[in-house]
Amino acid sequence: MPARRTSVPEARRRVSTLLREWGAAQQVRDDVELVVTELFTNAVRHTDSEKVGCELTVVGAHIRIEITDEGGPGTSAPHAQPGSLDQEGGRGLFLVGALSDSWGTRPVDSGRGQVVWADLPYRVATH
């Protein structure tokens, strides 16, 4: 998707639709939508990317979220800033860490950019 702020709600909508199709529980959908929103927003705000990718995969009892950017000068791995819980911005990565069983980064195979990934608990809705 284009690396614009207006793409964030579209990414969230697509993720929500996909999770409903998969039959994910409501809490899973809420948590995944929040993590996607935070990571996608970071990629738009903190990289020189023209495009940002978003991929979901279910692996056993987890759902893996991968947000891929194209990097840029000075791009570094995202990290929570000390004291950011008390500031207006900067809480996103604390939320990602709280909702995820694990998360991290890895370089894109092409060498330009990075993938920020998060593994969240996954379960289907019970009727």
Side-chain angles (χ1 to χ4, degrees):
M1 299 181 71
R4 297 190 301 250
R5 289 181 186 199
T6 55
S7 295
V8 175
E10 177 63 17
R12 186 174 48 243
R13 185 191 65 73
R14 289 181 185 187
V15 163
S16 179
T17 299
L18 182 62
L19 291 171
R20 272 195 303 278
E21 289 173 5
W22 288 354
Q26 183 65 51
Q27 187 64 52
V28 171
R29 294 193 322 247
D30 292 345
D31 292 350
V32 170
E33 288 175 26
L34 180 57
V35 170
V36 165
T37 298
E38 295 299 335
L39 295 181
F40 200 101
T41 298
N42 280 352
V44 169
R45 293 174 88 188
H46 301 295
T47 72
D48 290 336
S49 302
E50 291 184 27
K51 295 181 184 177
V52 175
C54 177
E55 187 174 324
L56 302 180
T57 310
V58 175
V59 180
H62 288 92
I63 186 162
R64 170 152 293 190
I65 301 164
E66 292 188 345
I67 304 296
T68 305
D69 65 54
E70 298 172 324
T75 301
S76 62
H79 58 281
Q81 297 292 324
S84 62
L85 281 176
D86 299 327
Q87 298 173 2
E88 183 65 27
R91 292 180 219 146
L93 293 177
F94 284 107
L95 291 172
V96 170
L99 295 173
S100 304
D101 286 343
S102 59
W103 73 281
T105 63
R106 64 177 167 77
V108 173
D109 292 337
S110 69
R112 179 162 159 73
Q114 67 183 349
V115 177
V116 182
W117 58 269
D119 289 338
L120 279 70
Y122 179 77
R123 65 184 190 288
V124 296
T126 56
H127 300 278

